[in-house]
Amino acid sequence: VADLAPVSLGVVFDMGFAVGPQVPATVKTVPEFLEWCKAHPTNANFGSPAPGSVPHFVGELIGRAGKVDLRHVGFRGSQPAILDMMGGQIAAVSAPVGEFLPHLSGGKVRLLATSGAARNKFVPGTPTLVEQGLKDLVFGEWFAFYLPGKAAPDVVQKAHAAVRAALADKDVVSGLAAMGLEAQSSSPAELAALLKADTEKWGPLVKAIGFTAES
């Protein structure tokens, strides 16, 4: 925290949990997927963009909620994971909602749930995890702008004003929306509070999952 000076929030987005051809078409919800995993433990797995990423932890927590040993397969990015799922190499993928958008019309990717408190604006027909009975699983992620921790206050304020103006531009908003990202600015103080809150939220969860940087 001391190494960075918060400038502004940039975008917010939800996680999605999807299944591919390896999972029968009769499986339409996350609870049904977890029941299928119990019946087919050798296929009980999911991919994510990277070990230690938010999608990784969301998938782990979904498995724990359903009392299923849902094995994690880490990839170098969401698209390689999704392509392996579409090819039947893995059962499911946890990744940002926007990563699934280009594949939903083809039928090989079935988005079962999103992770926000409310339905995601880009896939409003997909229910949240909470709607499916996983009441404590509400997670969002964000990207933000920072400067080096020793940046002068006037430089931070100038950067904040520029970022805020850019995030209000219609072309920027629509360009981000095409990737499932919702433009959202904040004050430096609001961004600092968000980072603090997320650190306090995720710290115990990561510890409970047992993940370390060496895992």
Side-chain angles (χ1 to χ4, degrees):
V1 173
D3 292 337
L4 299 170
V7 174
S8 174
L9 190 63
V11 298
V12 295
F13 54 101
D14 295 330
M15 298 300 112
F17 192 83
V19 295
Q22 191 182 110
V23 180
T26 52
V27 174
K28 300 182 183 299
T29 67
V30 171
E32 288 174 355
F33 172 71
L34 294 172
E35 287 302 312
W36 177 82
C37 287
K38 291 176 183 178
H40 304 83
T42 58
N43 299 110
N45 57 56
F46 76 99
S48 84
S53 63
V54 170
H56 168 199
F57 296 140
V58 170
E60 293 274 5
L61 293 169
I62 287 173
R64 285 170 176 257
K67 296 180 172 56
V68 173
D69 181 16
L70 201 56
R71 294 182 303 281
H72 174 245
V73 183
F75 286 79
R76 292 186 177 182
S78 299
Q79 291 305 315
I82 293 171
L83 291 174
D84 266 14
M85 180 183 72
M86 292 172 67
Q89 279 77 49
I90 55 174
V93 168
S94 175
V97 166
E99 298 285 356
F100 296 110
L101 297 182
H103 306 287
L104 294 180
S105 61
K108 288 188 175 181
V109 174
R110 306 190 325 265
L111 190 62
L112 300 187
T114 56
S115 68
R119 291 199 179 194
N120 187 276
K121 63 185 291 184
F122 302 111
V123 283
T126 302
T128 65
L129 291 167
V130 172
E131 288 181 90
Q132 298 183 50
L134 288 78
K135 60 184 180 67
D136 297 322
L137 299 193
V138 178
F139 304 105
E141 196 172 356
W142 45 270
F143 296 150
F145 294 88
Y146 289 83
L147 286 170
K150 295 181 180 180
D154 64 319
V155 174
V156 172
Q157 287 304 319
K158 287 179 180 177
H160 171 261
V163 169
R164 186 165 187 168
L167 290 171
D169 183 89
K170 289 183 179 180
D171 288 340
V172 173
V173 172
S174 61
L176 291 169
M179 298 181 286
L181 304 172
E182 186 174 354
Q184 185 173 319
S185 62
S186 73
S187 69
E190 289 169 338
L191 177 55
L194 177 60
L195 178 59
K196 183 176 184 292
D198 270 15
T199 301
E200 292 173 351
K201 175 180 181 177
W202 280 106
L205 291 175
V206 174
K207 187 175 182 180
I209 290 169
F211 178 81
T212 66
E214 293 74 36
S215 294

